[in-house]
Amino acid sequence: MVRDLRATLVGRRIDSVEVLRSDVLRVPAPDVLPAILVGQRVAGVDRRGKFIMVELDSADHLVVHLGMTGHLLVTAAEAPLPKHTHLRAGLDDGRELRFDDTRRFGRVAYGSPSALQDARVLPRLGLEPLAAGFSQEAFDSVMRRTTRTVKAALLDQAGVAGLGNIYIDEACFVARVRPTRRSHKLTRAERVRLRVAIQTVLLNAIANRGSSVDDYRDIWNAQGSNQEALQVYGRGGEPCLVCGTVLRRTVVAGRTTVYCPHCQR
DNA sequence: ACCTACCTGGCC
DNA sequence: GGCCAGGTAGGT
């Protein structure tokens, strides 16, 4: 999404802003946001963990988290407004950037990254799994310092940023590690496999343009294809694609979790 | 380190 | 009507 947004938005000027549902906007107040944004051009688009950061020429950022059902869409300005569109920004090319979110677990905020941290919109985020800093040493230190399950440790965005329920189960399968294992008890070899698996799973998902299991759509409202490549997520009770053993479905760290009891130890 | 609430919609 | 869902803040 960030790559597509960058190619589409950088250099565009915001000509209008409408906040249709103010409770998704954390900061600033919904009535002042339009005046702040209108006239600004998009300077860049980046990502930190699951947060999409649209930088404007003021150097402040429009920050978006999609939650479970959020969408950031680029549409024609005259395209019909779906029921759960909460914010729209008209661009100087006749298109619109829209934030849409059925369950409203997502959120939008605008400000400097440090002010957004102070406002507790941006939490403390850990290692970026696709950046150079994701070394074995750094990952080891994250995993060794907690007694929680591997699943819980990886769900915590302060350790490794950006992993969610789907990709954690997939990475654990590729690494042949049960998500129920205690994080600090993994062997060095298991942590190496897990680190590599996290990167492999994420890079594949990106290459496949995302996992449209349910609601995920790209900025053109198109589905990805990575849901077809998932090996365990959503497959509880079905045979393991490697060994044929029935995949086990349980709840770990409060989340539905699927693993192969034979391949994963 | 865990548990619940926050929302809407789809399915049984 | 009840249960479940890609996430996370805030409480205990």
Side-chain angles (χ1 to χ4, degrees):
Chain A
M1 286 184 71
V2 166
R3 292 171 188 176
D4 286 355
L5 286 169
R6 189 178 296 140
T8 305
L9 295 183
V10 170
R12 297 274 64 75
R13 191 186 63 227
I14 297 176
D15 282 346
S16 63
V17 171
E18 189 177 3
V19 181
L20 296 110
R21 177 117 204 181
S22 53
D23 60 348
V24 303
L25 181 66
R26 293 310 167 91
V27 71
D31 53 322
V32 304
L33 183 70
I36 296 172
L37 285 179
V38 168
Q40 294 208 60
R41 286 186 187 274
V42 175
V45 184
D46 291 291
R47 181 191 58 73
R48 185 73 177 93
K50 298 177 186 174
F51 290 84
I52 297 167
M53 322 269 295
V54 179
E55 184 181 4
L56 301 197
D57 52 19
S58 68
D60 283 345
H61 291 69
L62 188 66
V63 171
V64 179
H65 191 297
L66 298 174
M68 303 252 261
T69 54
H71 300 128
L72 255 193
L73 300 170
V74 174
T75 69
E78 61 275 15
L81 265 196
K83 185 176 172 189
H84 297 289
T85 302
H86 306 313
L87 190 143
R88 54 201 294 225
L91 306 173
D92 61 353
D93 61 1
R95 293 190 287 189
E96 279 190 4
L97 177 66
R98 294 177 176 177
F99 175 69
D100 164 292
D101 184 12
T102 304
R103 290 177 73 180
R104 302 204 309 280
F105 287 172
R107 53 227 127 109
V108 178
Y110 179 77
S112 71
S114 68
L116 294 176
Q117 284 204 328
D118 294 344
R120 277 178 300 179
V121 173
L122 276 179
R124 196 163 50 88
L125 293 170
L127 302 173
E128 279 294 338
L130 297 179
F134 194 56
S135 62
Q136 193 61 48
E137 294 66 36
F139 183 61
D140 285 351
S141 104
V142 165
M143 298 305 282
R144 290 172 65 180
R145 72 182 176 220
T146 178
T147 62
R148 294 177 293 178
T149 59
V150 168
K151 178 81 177 221
L154 294 178
L155 281 167
D156 184 354
Q157 304 293 299
V160 179
L163 299 173
N165 203 29
I166 296 178
Y167 299 136
I168 292 170
D169 279 11
E170 293 300 308
C172 284
F173 178 77
V174 171
R176 309 196 312 274
V177 170
R178 290 192 190 186
T180 52
R181 290 278 300 286
R182 293 283 149 181
S183 182
H184 67 299
K185 291 194 168 177
L186 294 185
T187 65
R188 158 111 186 157
E190 288 168 335
R191 289 193 303 268
V192 170
R193 296 205 303 268
L194 195 50
R195 183 182 62 89
V196 173
I198 286 167
Q199 296 189 313
T200 304
V201 161
L202 290 178
L203 288 171
N204 276 331
I206 293 165
N208 290 331
R209 298 191 59 82
S211 303
S212 297
V213 172
D214 281 311
D215 300 296
Y216 175 75
R217 297 293 184 274
D218 69 15
I219 68 168
W220 313 117
N221 204 30
Q223 298 196 355
S225 64
N226 198 61
Q227 64 281 7
E228 296 158 27
L230 299 176
Q231 300 190 78
V232 286
Y233 179 85
R235 298 194 61 244
E238 295 177 38
C240 172
L241 297 172
V242 169
C243 75
T245 302
V246 175
L247 296 176
R248 187 165 299 166
R249 180 189 146 124
T250 56
V251 174
V252 184
R255 311 297 300 279
T256 296
T257 298
V258 180
Y259 65 92
C260 174
H262 180 260
C263 294
Q264 293 170 261
R265 304 289 165 152

